[in-house]
Amino acid sequence: RLGTGGTEHFPSVDTPHLTRVFDQLSPAAQDSVRSTLVQGLLSEAQPAFARRKIGDAIAELARPAGVWPQLWPVIAEAATSSPNADVREACFRVLCGAPEILPNDLQAVTTLLSHGFNDPSEAVRTTSTTAFAAFFAYLPRNTWAHFKPLLPSLLNVMEPLRQQHQEELTSVLESLVTLTEIAPKMFLPV
């Protein structure tokens, strides 16, 4: 009944009974897809644009939290130790898209974010601020104080961007606005 002007015969996008094709695969096939995606994300030969798309796919498949417990250690390791800045940036991009995969170990998350904020690559620093803002939105209020020591490093991300990198600076400022909307008192002196 296409062309009749109505969509009443099609389910709504937010209908709860719809499932992803991935969820209908066998566990072995799911593991194979996950492994292939991680290999693509970490491949040194992967073009940056393809790596970003792979990271977006990984973030999508990592939801809901807990369905891919092996992902966090791989992302954390690559985000902090890969010699390739594109790989490190893509790992933070995964966290932007699926911040709920970060563990309850606040110290591990703090260490990861600190690495991101102090990375030599501007792209990694910028993306890590976006990942922090996305993650922070999931945090219970009683954990916010744990991340306050990161604020100077987060704010320092902006300085090198100020002169020539307006797009990246805008991204960092958007992340800061998100943070200040969620927890304005965190930016006040103690």
Side-chain angles (χ1 to χ4, degrees), residues 37-56 58 71 73-95 112 116 119 121 123-125 127-128:
L37 287 171
V38 168
Q39 288 173 1
L41 184 78
L42 302 179
S43 171
E44 296 289 326
Q46 197 68 257
F49 73 90
R51 184 177 287 112
R52 284 191 292 276
K53 293 298 183 186
I54 291 169
D56 293 344
I58 289 172
L71 182 60
V74 172
I75 294 294
E77 175 69 23
T80 57
S81 65
S82 174
N84 186 324
D86 288 338
V87 170
R88 295 190 310 271
E89 191 246 347
C91 289
F92 281 103
R93 187 176 173 90
V94 169
L95 299 176
L112 175 73
D119 195 274
S121 164
V124 174
R125 290 192 306 267
T127 306
S128 67

Side-chain angles (χ1 to χ4, degrees), residues 25-162:
L25 297 174
S26 71
Q30 288 180 356
D31 288 344
S32 177
V33 169
R34 288 177 178 137
S35 176
T36 301
L37 287 171
V38 168
Q39 288 173 1
L41 184 78
L42 302 179
S43 171
E44 296 289 326
Q46 197 68 257
F49 73 90
R51 184 177 287 112
R52 284 191 292 276
K53 293 298 183 186
I54 291 169
D56 293 344
I58 289 172
E60 180 61 35
L61 296 181
R63 285 184 242 124
V67 297
W68 194 350
Q70 308 86 344
L71 182 60
W72 159 249
V74 172
I75 294 294
E77 175 69 23
T80 57
S81 65
S82 174
N84 186 324
D86 288 338
V87 170
R88 295 190 310 271
E89 191 246 347
C91 289
F92 281 103
R93 187 176 173 90
V94 169
L95 299 176
C96 293
E100 61 268 34
I101 72 164
L102 288 164
N104 291 331
D105 180 353
L106 298 181
Q107 189 55 48
V109 174
T110 301
T111 300
L112 175 73
L113 292 168
S114 181
H115 275 279
F117 296 159
N118 294 295
D119 195 274
S121 164
E122 289 177 1
V124 174
R125 290 192 306 267
T126 301
T127 306
S128 67
T129 63
T130 306
F132 178 53
F135 172 65
F136 198 81
Y138 281 92
L139 289 174
R141 184 175 279 235
N142 64 348
T143 62
W144 291 355
H146 181 82
F147 294 96
K148 191 168 184 163
L150 286 176
L151 290 181
S153 294
L154 176 102
L155 295 171
N156 285 334
V157 169
M158 291 188 298
E159 182 57 33
L161 303 174
R162 200 168 48 89

Side-chain angles (χ1 to χ4, degrees), residues 156-171:
N156 285 334
V157 169
M158 291 188 298
E159 182 57 33
L161 303 174
R162 200 168 48 89
Q163 298 297 324
Q164 301 171 359
H165 304 279
Q166 292 302 311
E167 188 174 317
E168 291 87 354
L169 180 60
T170 300
S171 176

